[in-house]
């Protein structure tokens, strides 16, 4: 997990804006279950103890943009006050003057339901920007809402350069990444619930990961119909019969056995008190509905659970809300609790079954997020999580990027970073952002060393395919997993020595953006092209082709690197560089609009040294430098970073 943790940030004296999930059940103004509030306490306590002030933001219910007192967070403020023993400052209006200046250290503040603002669910910029002014650090601890791209979970991250996951968010992400990427095997998935239509993505994704799968609840009947079995009046989604066949085919191809129920508890209606029967096979007779798993199924499932080392459970195994059809689900809950393997469970009904059983402690992880946990099981990237890694382009800070090419062993790289950290901590802020591109071999060490500092680490290249037979290549996804924040794409050495063309560069850019990473995209003309007055034509072609079909450039940094200046000791004059930078900014404006053009950093690269850096950096459209040779010596690089 590459996302920064709260522990990585220096919180002392800062104001933290934290998105939490306080969407708790409230009856007659009283909270009936405060599990979600308690779940956020570790982050709240830590932030306050580290010496920050804290503004909490949450939604409650679906007020749909109206200020509806039924959905007020006031009862939560009272509960929070009791739980923390601290005064909670409840702020009803984002325009309250109290929010206009920094809050005193140690202040705990809760904002009124953010969904009273119409902009929240629409992810409006105006609200995002307003929230962005409420702190200098953004923390997201609301896993349950991380699958929503709303203002407080996604949009506002564009206005915070420092962001981190809260402890609850971190715990959730870790549990899911552990079971999905490196589980102890055998890995069993138990997927229940009413409808197959809501879980297709999950079924497909899990078939690539698990050793066996149980499908139960209402879902089996669509599969049974696809197999020509009798289903009586059981729930069936006729529009998904074809999809069910495809899932069965995929399981077959992969050699994964899907265990459907082998008997059912049936009744003529889903009503308590009616006659209940048990079938002796998977068929459901005419006039009946399959409402729960039968005893033989339970035996079969118990064996499977007991022989698995890891279990993923999402969805009840019968019509859980109506007694006695909750019995199968409750029995599975008890079996899992006693089993030796670990279980990660998620989904509203699943969690409420576990809570009813009082066996929560026996579960390795019970997710607080229904929709969010399903999307993780589908293999999706949650927008609220991706946004935490969003690189914020702050053009008031120069970005001084170091391209180390084939230089520095992992040891040398670590020494360099150590020295850099020491120097940065001793002096006043440099006013520059630091980005280093070491060799692949030194990535691990430099990423570890720079965690929690303001140094970003990137890779000098990546291949655009996620996996496959591409000897010698490393995918963007792998680099992201390793903790890289940036990828350098289109460097002239890759264009010339490795014959990378604009089409390949475009594929790579798409892969970087699809993976939610940031990139430095290089372009520049050769000496010959400059002599022939073709500079602007070359830049135009590289820009257009490289960014073909790209619509969102939030994560893009451009580097203008005239090939004739790279490693030659010949630097473009400030005027030559500014002229091309202005042209690139104009291309940005025309293709992506004014806001994007104003925000995007354009670096200059080509024999930048401590001697010439200042005159280049003062140019209007030069937002930093990409440096090769002069970045290899700590002393020289520091002079670049501290050029002001
Ligand atoms: C580079 O490698 O991108 C570069 C600009 O190198 P140098 O600073 O050595 O010209």
């Amino acid at each position: 997990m590459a996302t920064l943790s709260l522990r990585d940030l220096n919180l002392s004296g800062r104001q933290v804006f934290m998105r939490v999930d306080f969407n708790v059940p409230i009856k007659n103004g009283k909270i009936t279950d405060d599990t979600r509030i308690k779940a956020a306490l570790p982050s709240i306590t830590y932030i306050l103890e580290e010496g920050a002030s804290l503004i909490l933001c949450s939604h409650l219910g679906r007020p749909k943009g109206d200020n509806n007192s039924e959905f007020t967070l006031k009862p939560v403020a009272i509960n929070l006050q009791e739980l923390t023993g601290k005064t909670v400052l409840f702020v009803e209006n984002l325009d309250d003057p109290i929010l206009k200046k920094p809050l005193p250290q140690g202040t705990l503040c809760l904002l009124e339901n953010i969904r009273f603002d119409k902009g929240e669910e629409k992810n409006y910029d105006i609200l995002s920007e307003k929230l962005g002014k409420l702190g200098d650090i953004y923390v997201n601890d609301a896993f349950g809402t991380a699958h929503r791209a709303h203002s407080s979970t996604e949009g506002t991250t564009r206005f915070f350069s420092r962001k981190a996951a809260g402890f609850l968010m971190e715990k959730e992400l870790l549990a899911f990444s552990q079971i999905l990427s490196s589980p102890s095997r055998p890995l069993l998935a138990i997927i229940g619930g009413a409808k197959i239509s809501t879980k297709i993505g999950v079924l497909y994704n899990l078939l690539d990961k698990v050793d066996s799968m149980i499908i139960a609840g209402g879902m089996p009947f669509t599969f049974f119909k696809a197999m020509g079995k009798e289903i009586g009046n059981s729930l069936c989604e006729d529009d998904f019969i074809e999809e069910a066949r495809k899932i069965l085919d995929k399981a077959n191809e992969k050699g994964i056995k899907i265990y459907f129920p082998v008997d059912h508890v049936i009744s003529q209606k889903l009503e308590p008190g009616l006659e209940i029967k048990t079938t002796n096979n998977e068929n459901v007779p005419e006039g009946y509905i399959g409402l729960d798993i039968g005893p033989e199924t339970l035996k079969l499932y118990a064996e499977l659970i007991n022989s698995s080392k890891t279990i993923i459970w999402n969805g009840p195994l019968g019509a859980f809300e109506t007694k006695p059809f909750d019995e199968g689900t409750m029995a599975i809950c008890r079996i899992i609790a006693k089993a030796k393997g670990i279980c990660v469970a998620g989904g509203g009904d699943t969690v409420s079954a576990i809570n009813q059983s009082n066996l929560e402690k026996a579960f390795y992880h019970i997710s607080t997020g229904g929709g969010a946990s399903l999307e993780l099981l589908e293999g999706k990237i949650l927008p609220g999580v991706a946004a935490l890694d969003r690189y914020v382009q702050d053009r008031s800070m120069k970005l001084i990027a170091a391209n180390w090419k084939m230089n520095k062993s992992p040891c040398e790289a670590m020494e360099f970073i150590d020295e850099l950290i020491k120097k940065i901590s001793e002096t006043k802020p440099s006013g520059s952002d630091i980005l280093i591109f070491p060799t692949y071999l030194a990535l691990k060490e430099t990423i570890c060393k720079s965690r929690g500092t303001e140094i970003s680490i990137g890779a000098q290249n990546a291949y655009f395919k996620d996996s496959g037979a591409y000897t010698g290549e490393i995918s963007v996804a792998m680099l992201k997993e390793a903790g890289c924040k940036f990828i350098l794409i289109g460097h002239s050495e890759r264009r010339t020595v490795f014959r990378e063309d604009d089409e390949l560069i475009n594929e790579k850019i798409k892969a970087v953006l699809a993976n939610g990473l940031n990139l430095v995209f290089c372009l520049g003309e050769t000496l010959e092209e400059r002599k022939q007055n073709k500079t602007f034509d070359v830049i135009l072609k590289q820009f257009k082709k490289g960014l073909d079909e790209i619509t969102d450039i939030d994560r893009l940094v451009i580097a203008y690197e005239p090939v004739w200046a790279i490693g030659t000791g010949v630097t473009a004059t400030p005027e030559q560089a500014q002229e091309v930078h202005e042209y690139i900014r104009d291309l940005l404006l025309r293709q992506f609009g004014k806001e994007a053009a104003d925000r995007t950093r354009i670096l200059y690269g080509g024999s930048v040294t401590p001697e010439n850096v200042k005159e280049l950096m003062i140019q209007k459209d030069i937002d930093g430098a990409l440096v090769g040779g002069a970045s290899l010596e700590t002393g020289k690089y520091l002079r670049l970073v501290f050029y002001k």
Side-chain angles (χ1 to χ4, degrees):
M1 200 181 55
T3 308
L4 274 191
S5 154
L6 257 181
R7 271 184 219 90
D8 298 327
L9 297 171
N10 180 0
L11 300 172
S12 174
R14 310 264 192 169
Q15 183 155 311
V16 176
F17 175 84
M18 178 155 79
R19 178 59 159 97
V20 284
D21 185 0
F22 288 168
N23 185 24
V24 290
I26 298 183
K27 254 201 190 136
N28 304 325
K30 288 258 168 312
I31 295 169
T32 53
D33 178 359
D34 65 357
T35 315
R36 283 189 167 152
I37 305 177
K38 284 186 179 141
L41 289 179
S43 296
I44 295 174
T45 317
Y46 179 83
I47 292 168
L48 294 173
E49 280 176 358
E50 288 291 299
S53 55
L54 174 59
I55 296 184
L56 299 173
C57 168
S58 175
H59 73 284
L60 176 76
R62 294 194 172 153
K64 300 210 163 82
D66 289 331
N67 191 332
N68 179 343
S69 59
E70 194 192 327
F71 298 105
T72 177
L73 278 168
K74 273 182 199 149
V76 173
I78 297 168
N79 178 287
L80 187 60
Q81 194 150 306
E82 282 161 14
L83 289 173
T84 56
K86 283 194 71 70
T87 306
V88 175
L89 177 67
F90 187 67
V91 178
E92 294 188 46
N93 186 337
L94 288 177
D95 296 315
D96 192 317
I98 203 154
L99 298 178
K100 299 280 178 264
K101 21 182 212 321
L103 296 168
Q105 194 174 333
T107 307
L108 175 57
C109 166
L110 173 65
L111 302 179
E112 178 55 291
N113 192 342
I114 192 67
R115 286 196 188 163
F116 284 180
D117 191 309
K118 288 195 172 52
E120 165 66 355
E121 288 181 77
K122 296 201 169 94
N123 202 356
Y124 277 164
D125 279 352
I126 299 173
L127 177 62
S128 302
E129 193 171 355
K130 212 180 238 186
L131 299 178
K133 296 201 171 107
L134 296 183
D136 27 39
I137 292 177
Y138 174 87
V139 178
N140 192 342
D141 212 16
F143 174 73
T145 343
H147 59 310
R148 305 266 180 234
H150 292 170
S151 267
S152 65
T153 57
E154 204 268 347
T156 196
T157 61
R158 272 193 279 130
F159 301 94
F160 288 91
S161 54
R162 291 185 187 81
K163 298 179 279 286
F167 296 140
L168 173 64
M169 173 76 90
E170 205 179 17
K171 195 167 134 220
E172 292 271 10
L173 297 177
L174 201 65
F176 281 97
S177 89
Q178 216 176 322
I179 55 157
L180 292 173
S181 37
S182 52
S184 297
R185 292 187 182 273
L187 169 63
L188 167 71
I190 306 174
I191 305 301
K195 292 184 173 172
I196 142 171
S197 54
T198 58
K199 301 229 166 129
I200 286 175
V202 174
L203 297 176
Y204 273 115
N205 189 43
L206 288 183
L207 281 174
D208 286 329
K209 319 235 174 247
V210 300
D211 301 299
S212 50
M213 181 182 275
I214 287 173
I215 297 185
M219 290 198 291
F221 301 106
T222 305
F223 286 95
F224 285 163
K225 193 151 177 194
M227 293 181 224
K229 294 184 194 287
E230 308 272 314
I231 63 162
N233 293 337
S234 305
L235 193 77
C236 176
E237 290 177 278
D238 287 330
D239 291 350
F240 288 87
I241 292 178
E242 202 37 54
E243 204 62 60
R245 279 199 193 102
K246 284 191 198 149
I247 291 169
L248 292 172
D249 287 347
K250 174 161 181 180
N252 254 342
E253 259 167 46
K254 297 231 137 208
I256 307 284
K257 184 149 170 59
I258 298 183
Y259 294 88
F260 293 107
V262 292
D263 58 354
H264 312 278
V265 173
I266 57 169
S267 185
Q268 282 172 322
K269 279 192 180 150
L270 176 55
E271 277 173 23
L274 290 185
E275 190 201 6
I276 289 168
K277 291 185 182 179
T278 303
T279 62
N280 52 17
N281 59 36
E282 68 271 37
N283 292 307
V284 175
E286 214 31 74
Y288 282 85
I289 312 174
L291 292 167
D292 199 2
I293 51 171
E296 289 307 313
T297 306
L298 196 57
K299 262 193 233 160
L300 170 71
Y301 288 180
E303 273 170 35
L304 277 166
I305 291 168
N306 287 323
S307 58
S308 300
K309 288 208 171 130
T310 309
I311 302 149
I312 299 169
W313 181 20
N314 189 294
L317 289 89
F320 171 77
E321 328 72 53
T322 314
K323 277 185 195 309
F325 307 114
D326 59 338
E327 279 175 13
T329 304
M330 296 309 290
I332 289 293
C333 189
R334 290 189 292 275
I335 295 165
I336 295 179
K338 274 205 194 126
K340 289 208 180 77
I342 60 159
C343 178
V344 172
D349 290 333
T350 318
V351 174
S352 89
I354 299 169
N355 290 342
Q356 276 177 42
S357 70
N358 278 329
L359 292 167
E360 301 93 312
K361 293 214 167 73
F363 282 75
Y364 177 70
H365 181 73
I366 302 170
S367 180
T368 53
S373 65
L374 263 190
E375 291 201 7
L376 284 184
L377 294 181
E378 276 180 61
K380 287 191 181 157
I381 298 171
L382 308 182
V385 176
L388 289 174
D389 279 337
R390 169 180 268 149
Y391 166 68
V392 174
Q393 309 225 22
D394 174 2
R395 284 188 61 207
S396 67
M397 300 269 279
K398 302 291 176 189
L399 174 63
I400 308 291
N403 176 13
W404 286 351
K405 310 188 187 194
M406 259 167 51
N407 294 292
K408 293 197 191 295
S409 68
C411 272
E412 289 164 343
M414 281 206 289
E415 273 171 31
F416 187 103
I417 304 275
D418 270 340
E419 253 186 87
L420 208 56
I421 295 173
K422 190 161 165 272
K423 176 81 185 175
I424 294 169
S425 65
E426 280 167 8
T427 26
K428 61 178 180 17
S430 62
S432 308
D433 282 338
I434 298 175
L435 167 61
I436 295 177
F437 293 104
T439 65
Y440 282 139
L441 275 186
L443 276 178
K444 193 169 147 223
E445 284 76 7
T446 46
I447 287 167
C448 284
K449 273 263 168 245
S450 57
R451 257 183 92 79
T453 72
E454 277 145 38
I455 302 170
S456 298
I457 302 293
Q460 292 173 26
N461 180 33
Y463 197 53
F464 68 93
K465 296 276 188 189
D466 275 352
S467 60
Y470 302 101
T471 304
E473 291 294 335
I474 296 187
S475 75
V476 176
M478 287 169 174
L479 293 165
K480 181 177 179 172
E481 180 72 27
C484 277
K485 297 274 180 239
F486 276 84
I487 316 274
L488 188 59
I489 302 286
H491 192 279
S492 69
E493 284 150 22
R494 300 233 40 107
R495 289 180 191 262
T496 51
V497 185
F498 300 98
R499 313 258 151 100
E500 289 193 6
D501 59 18
D502 292 318
E503 284 70 28
L504 177 59
I505 288 166
N506 176 249
E507 293 290 355
K508 291 186 176 193
I509 293 177
K510 285 180 186 159
V512 175
L513 297 177
N515 276 282
L517 280 192
N518 311 298
L519 76 137
V520 176
F521 164 42
C522 307
L523 27 75
E525 80 289 2
T526 59
L527 186 58
E528 217 182 340
E529 287 161 342
R530 177 161 276 265
K531 281 186 182 156
Q532 293 169 0
N533 273 336
K534 286 189 182 156
T535 300
F536 294 115
D537 296 341
V538 172
I539 298 292
L540 177 67
K541 176 180 150 288
Q542 292 176 343
F543 181 96
K544 286 270 171 212
K545 293 199 164 180
L547 298 179
D548 189 30
E549 292 177 7
I550 306 290
T551 49
D552 180 357
I553 55 163
D554 267 9
R555 297 173 181 276
L556 173 84
V557 174
I558 293 184
Y560 166 55
E561 295 213 302
V563 182
W564 47 272
I566 298 177
T568 56
V570 182
T571 323
T573 63
E575 296 71 30
Q576 282 172 325
Q578 167 58 26
E579 189 186 27
V580 180
H581 278 235
E582 201 174 325
Y583 179 66
I584 295 173
R585 189 141 349 257
D586 192 50
L587 292 177
L588 284 168
L589 173 88
R590 280 189 265 155
Q591 189 152 331
F592 301 101
K594 180 160 180 354
E595 209 234 326
D598 285 346
R599 205 178 52 226
T600 303
R601 275 168 163 169
I602 308 171
L603 316 182
Y604 168 77
S607 300
V608 176
T609 62
E611 288 71 38
N612 60 26
V613 64
K614 195 162 184 170
E615 57 186 25
L616 287 161
M617 292 306 119
I618 56 174
Q619 300 302 313
K620 180 164 102 3
D621 289 297
I622 301 187
D623 307 308
L626 178 56
V627 190
S631 74
L632 294 172
E633 260 178 56
T634 343
K636 272 196 186 162
Y637 183 62
L638 279 167
R639 282 172 61 203
L640 294 174
V641 168
F642 285 87
Y643 79 89
K644 274 185 188 160

